[in-house]
Amino acid sequence: MEPAPLIDPFARAIRYLRVSVTDRCDFRCTYCMTEHMTFLPKAELLSLEELDRLCSAFVRLGVEKLRITGGEPLVRKGIMTFFEAMGRHLQTGALKELTLTTNGSQLRRFAGDLAAVGVRRVNVSLDTLDQAKFAEVTRWGRLGQVLDGIAAAKEAGLAVKINAVALKGVNEDELFTLADWCARDGHDLTFIEVMPMGEMEGADRLDQYWSLKDLRARLETRFTLRDLPDRTGGPARYVRLLETGQRIGFITPLTHNFCESCNRVRLTCTGELYMCLGQEDMADLRAPL
Ligand code: SAM
Ligand code: SF4
C-alpha cells in the first residue's frame, strides 16, 4: 500500500524539509552564537545513517525539496556520504531538489562533490564584502576563503544565492555594493531581517536591528521596485529592480504572513521535527527511529 502523503491538519501538503545535520560551526556570527559555545555531545546527534533513513522516509511521504543546514553543514564529518545517499532520490526523481545553506568556508573543498551528487544551487550567507567587518560579524571567518568558496561553486556549475542579514551600522552602507556585486556575478540576493536570539549577548545586538521596510525604502531611492508574485511556500517575498532586471528577496521571519501557503517542516540534528518556525510544538522522531 502507498504510504499516506504528508498533509497537515490545515490541508497543506508538506513538500519541503529543512534538515539540520549539526549544531557545530567554524564561525561564531554575533547574531547566531556566543563566542564560547557549548555544543551538544556528539552522541546526541542523529548518525548519518539515521539522517538517511529519516530523510528517505520523508521523501517517500512526498517531500520533494530537501535543504541541508546546520550549524555549518559542511563541517560535519563524513557529510558527503549523506549527500550521496540523498542524491539517489534525485536519480529516481522522487526528490526534485537537494540544496544547502552554508557559510561558504568549505565550498572550495566540496563544491565539485556536491555538483556530482546532483546539487544545483547553494545558498551562501554573506553579510558584508568588507574584510574587517566580515571578521567582526563572523568572529572566526575569513572573507577571502568564502569568496574563494563561492568561486569554486560557480566553477562547479552551482548557482549561488547570497543571503545577507540586514544589520544596522554594519552593512547599511553596503546595500548598493552588495546588490551591484550580486548583479555583476549573477547571484540572486536575499536580505534577512535579524531575529533576536536567546544566545545573543548584551543589549547592543538590538541596536543592530535594521528593518527590511527601511532597507526596501532605501533601495527605492535608486531603483524602481516591482513586487513579484513568486512564492516558494516560505517567508521570502521578491521584487524585481526594473533598471537592472535583478531579483531581490526579503525574509521577515516574524511577520507570519505566509502561513496559508506554508509547505515546510524542519528537523533538528537531534531528530526533533518542528512543524512551524514560530511555534514550540515538536515531535521527537529519534525514539521511533
Ligand atoms: N551556517 C550556515 C549559514 O550560515 O548559512 C547555515 C546555518 S545558519 C543558522 C542559516 C541562516 O540563518 C544564515 O543565513 C544566517 O545568516 C541566518 N541567521 C542566523 N542567525 C540569525 C538571526 N539571529 N537572525 C536572522 N538570521 C539569522
Ligand atoms: Fe550561525 Fe551560520 Fe554564522 Fe555558523 S555561519 S555562526 S551557523 S549563521
Side-chain angles (χ1 to χ4, degrees), residues 5-68:
L6 290 171
I7 308 279
D8 80 359
F10 303 102
R12 299 173 300 188
I14 305 303
R15 304 264 181 233
Y16 180 121
L17 176 65
R18 184 182 174 106
V19 187
S20 167
V21 293
T22 179
D23 60 335
R24 288 171 165 72
C25 187
D26 52 344
F27 291 3
R28 291 290 181 278
C29 303
T30 50
Y31 47 71
C32 178
M33 294 190 181
T34 58
E35 183 150 21
H36 303 287
M37 290 289 291
T38 313
F39 293 107
L40 293 165
K42 288 211 171 112
E44 282 189 26
L45 301 191
L46 293 180
S47 68
L48 294 172
E49 292 74 18
E50 286 171 323
L51 281 167
D52 179 1
R53 278 172 61 203
L54 208 44
C55 293
S56 298
F58 273 103
V59 171
R60 279 197 300 280
L61 292 172
V63 160
E64 296 175 337
K65 181 165 173 178
L66 264 185
R67 175 171 295 283
I68 312 305

Side-chain angles (χ1 to χ4, degrees), residues 51-214:
L51 281 167
D52 179 1
R53 278 172 61 203
L54 208 44
C55 293
S56 298
F58 273 103
V59 171
R60 279 197 300 280
L61 292 172
V63 160
E64 296 175 337
K65 181 165 173 178
L66 264 185
R67 175 171 295 283
I68 312 305
T69 179
E72 173 47 43
L74 297 180
V75 301
R76 170 108 194 223
K77 207 169 159 204
I79 193 63
M80 280 316 300
T81 318
F82 173 67
F83 274 102
E84 279 158 22
M86 294 304 105
R88 288 192 319 254
H89 301 306
L90 288 172
Q91 279 167 15
T92 66
L95 188 61
K96 303 255 184 319
E97 189 174 28
L98 173 61
T99 180
L100 67 153
T101 300
T102 171
N103 64 25
S105 70
Q106 307 303 313
L107 277 175
R108 171 58 66 190
R109 182 167 161 213
F110 289 118
D113 294 343
L114 289 168
V117 302
V119 172
R120 294 288 164 257
R121 305 190 301 140
V122 289
N123 285 7
V124 180
S125 305
L126 179 63
D127 306 331
T128 169
L129 290 168
D130 178 290
Q131 242 179 56
K133 283 190 206 165
F134 187 86
E136 213 171 288
V137 172
T138 63
R139 291 202 189 95
W140 295 3
R142 281 181 294 125
L143 177 64
Q145 188 178 343
V146 171
L147 294 179
D148 183 54
I150 292 172
K154 283 178 73 177
E155 286 159 27
L158 302 176
V160 175
K161 189 180 101 179
I162 300 296
N163 282 339
V165 176
L167 297 166
K168 202 183 189 79
V170 179
N171 56 11
E172 244 181 319
D173 58 346
E174 285 186 80
L175 177 57
F176 297 118
T177 322
L178 275 167
D180 290 345
W181 176 73
C182 286
R184 200 193 63 218
D185 286 10
H187 309 309
D188 270 347
L189 171 62
T190 291
F191 289 101
I192 307 177
E193 200 162 70
V194 74
M195 286 187 286
M197 305 254 284
E199 292 284 7
M200 295 195 295
E201 307 141 324
D204 58 321
R205 296 288 152 247
L206 279 180
D207 296 344
Q208 290 193 342
Y209 178 78
W210 180 20
S211 89
L212 292 195
K213 204 169 153 213
D214 183 62

Side-chain angles (χ1 to χ4, degrees), residues 219-226 239-244:
L219 263 183
E220 279 174 325
T221 62
R222 202 171 110 184
F223 297 106
T224 317
L225 273 50
R226 162 141 333 140
V239 297
R240 174 112 32 228
L241 309 187
L242 293 190
E243 287 77 3
T244 62

